[in-house]
Amino acid sequence: FQSVGLQTHGVAALTLSHGDTFYISVMATNGVGMSAVASSEQILVHTRRPLFSVFHVRHSRSNTTSQVWSSSADLDVWWEMEEDSLRSSAAFPPPTIWMSIGSVHGQDDVQTQQQLDFEPPIPFPRLEEGRFVVSIIAEDILRRMDYRFISIVIDASPPSAGVLTINREGKRVNVAVTTQVFHLEWSGFDDAETGIETYLVGLGTAASQSDIVELVDVGAVQSYDLHGPFPQGRYFLSVVARNGAGLSASASVSVTIDATPPVPAQVREVLQDRPTNDIDCVDTSGTVHIAWDAFVDEESGMARYEVAVVCMDEGSTQPCGEVRFDHVGLGPVSYTHLTLPTKRLV
């Protein structure tokens, strides 16, 4: 015992380690030399502050963790403390946990700080779209603390739709093509909450499908060359924009792959009032009436016809002048005011 006179308090220098226990005893002696002793309860030496080993927001059913979610439904907050066997004793209970949610770090304007009186997981509140900071504090009976926070984004809306175009030799096309390489360009996709994380490109038999060429993740670029070979037919090229929450928007454009020319049909020089009769002679009135049966192209159909009137000397197979084709739409066509000498083949 160390004498402290008549003081009711004292200071002692101790050399103790984490996990040690000790007692404090006080002896009081009266004027005739008689003494009495009183002792404290057991005191535990604990030198470590509480520390979180795990802290995250997770999906309550799958236990997956993320900082970006498409909805706050089915989310919970989970944490674990670093192992400390002494905290299970009656002398040193587990720390008190406090949680708050704010729109920015350091605030609790979304959910004010509250003490959590039960073990994790803690159901996450239902929140609309936005960015949030979830903060958590562990405080032990010695007022020592550990503080953690995590930023999350709730993005419940898909990206805004964009536009997809097929470019060939610098020109935009969405009609029949013979190429086996499609140069795709897209623009207009946007997402204010989580941004566009990646684009995917595919080819299918219907809009937004990819049953011919499976979706290819092309990253953050806004153009891509999709290589064949592709079978002939009508298809849809699609681009899918995916945001950080996994929601997506798509754009499609139809394209016809046509690598074969039209099947030709009969061409006739006819009388104007009898367009189905084929004639072999015409006078030199300067009028030529031309008709033809429809050419056939199952893939892309007819876009236009071009017609040329060619003169040849009798007995020759070579044209006697320049061969010039004229665009005539979908016909039939009449040529007038021609100068056709006698016995000249056309």
Side-chain angles (χ1 to χ4, degrees):
F1 284 92
Q2 179 181 350
S3 177
V4 295
L6 293 178
Q7 297 183 89
T8 56
H9 62 275
V11 177
L14 304 177
T15 303
L16 299 172
S17 301
H18 181 77
D20 290 344
T21 58
F22 64 94
Y23 298 84
I24 298 174
S25 298
V26 176
M27 178 187 293
T29 303
N30 63 14
V32 295
M34 300 179 67
S35 300
V37 177
S39 298
S40 69
E41 295 180 351
Q42 184 185 64
I43 299 173
L44 173 67
V45 177
H46 196 288
T47 62
R48 301 171 186 169
R49 69 184 179 94
L51 291 173
F52 291 103
S53 60
V54 173
F55 171 51
H56 51 231
V57 176
R58 68 177 192 177
H59 194 277
S60 59
R61 294 197 299 270
S62 64
N63 291 337
T64 55
T65 63
S66 176
Q67 289 183 257
V68 179
W69 302 93
S70 60
S71 169
S72 63
D74 300 319
L75 299 184
D76 61 38
V77 179
W78 178 266
W79 70 88
E80 297 175 10
M81 305 299 299
E82 286 194 1
E83 186 175 353
D84 186 348
S85 60
L86 298 182
R87 291 189 183 276
S88 61
S89 66
F92 209 89
T96 302
I97 306 297
W98 303 80
M99 190 180 80
S100 63
I101 302 176
S103 56
V104 295
H105 182 226
Q107 293 189 7
D108 61 352
D109 53 325
V110 178
Q111 177 179 290
T112 57
Q113 188 178 80
Q114 55 184 278
Q115 180 178 336
L116 304 179
D117 297 324
F118 42 91
E119 295 295 314
I122 305 299
F124 196 81
R126 297 298 293 267
L127 301 176
E128 300 299 326
E129 286 189 334
R131 296 177 179 271
F132 306 96
V133 179
V134 184
S135 302
I136 193 168
I137 297 173
E139 181 181 22
D140 66 16
I141 59 175
L142 298 179
R143 306 300 299 273
R144 296 174 302 187
M145 299 181 184
D146 188 23
Y147 169 73
R148 302 292 174 91
F149 71 92
I150 185 172
S151 298
I152 68 168
V153 179
I154 297 176
D155 185 358
S157 57
S160 58
V163 177
L164 171 65
T165 58
I166 308 172
N167 288 274
R168 186 172 133 200
E169 298 176 353
K171 298 180 180 180
R172 293 185 175 185
V173 296
N174 58 1
V175 293
V177 295
T178 58
T179 181
Q180 293 288 279
V181 178
F182 297 115
H183 179 68
L184 308 181
E185 294 181 1
W186 54 88
S187 62
F189 293 99
D190 191 28
D191 192 279
E193 291 77 25
T194 55
I196 304 300
E197 186 173 85
T198 191
Y199 293 99
L200 303 99
V201 173
L203 180 71
T205 54
S208 301
Q209 289 191 5
S210 55
D211 50 326
I212 302 299
V213 176
E214 293 186 0
L215 288 174
V216 179
D217 191 331
V218 299
V221 301
Q222 291 187 285
S223 64
Y224 185 74
D225 288 337
L226 190 65
H227 293 268
F230 307 112
Q232 288 198 147
R234 185 169 183 263
Y235 302 101
F236 289 83
L237 288 156
S238 300
V239 60
V240 177
R242 183 173 295 165
N243 66 13
L247 302 175
S248 60
S250 63
S252 299
V253 60
S254 64
V255 59
T256 300
I257 302 174
D258 186 357
T260 57
V263 178
Q266 184 184 20
V267 179
R268 301 182 300 279
E269 202 281 325
V270 298
L271 298 174
Q272 187 173 13
D273 58 345
R274 284 177 283 176
T276 60
N277 292 349
D278 186 17
I279 62 175
D280 296 326
C281 297
V282 64
D283 61 24
T284 57
S285 63
T287 300
V288 177
H289 298 285
I290 303 173
W292 55 89
D293 295 333
F295 288 37
V296 177
D297 193 288
E298 295 182 353
E299 290 76 28
S300 59
M302 293 298 101
R304 68 174 185 269
Y305 291 99
E306 300 176 30
V307 173
V309 177
V310 182
C311 293
M312 292 184 295
D313 291 324
E314 190 168 6
S316 173
T317 59
Q318 299 299 318
C320 56
E322 180 184 0
V323 178
R324 183 173 61 88
F325 280 86
D326 293 328
H327 292 192
V328 297
L330 294 178
V333 170
S334 294
Y335 281 86
T336 61
H337 307 298
L338 296 177
T339 300
L340 302 176
T342 306
K343 294 185 179 181
R344 179 156 287 187
L345 301 176
V346 297

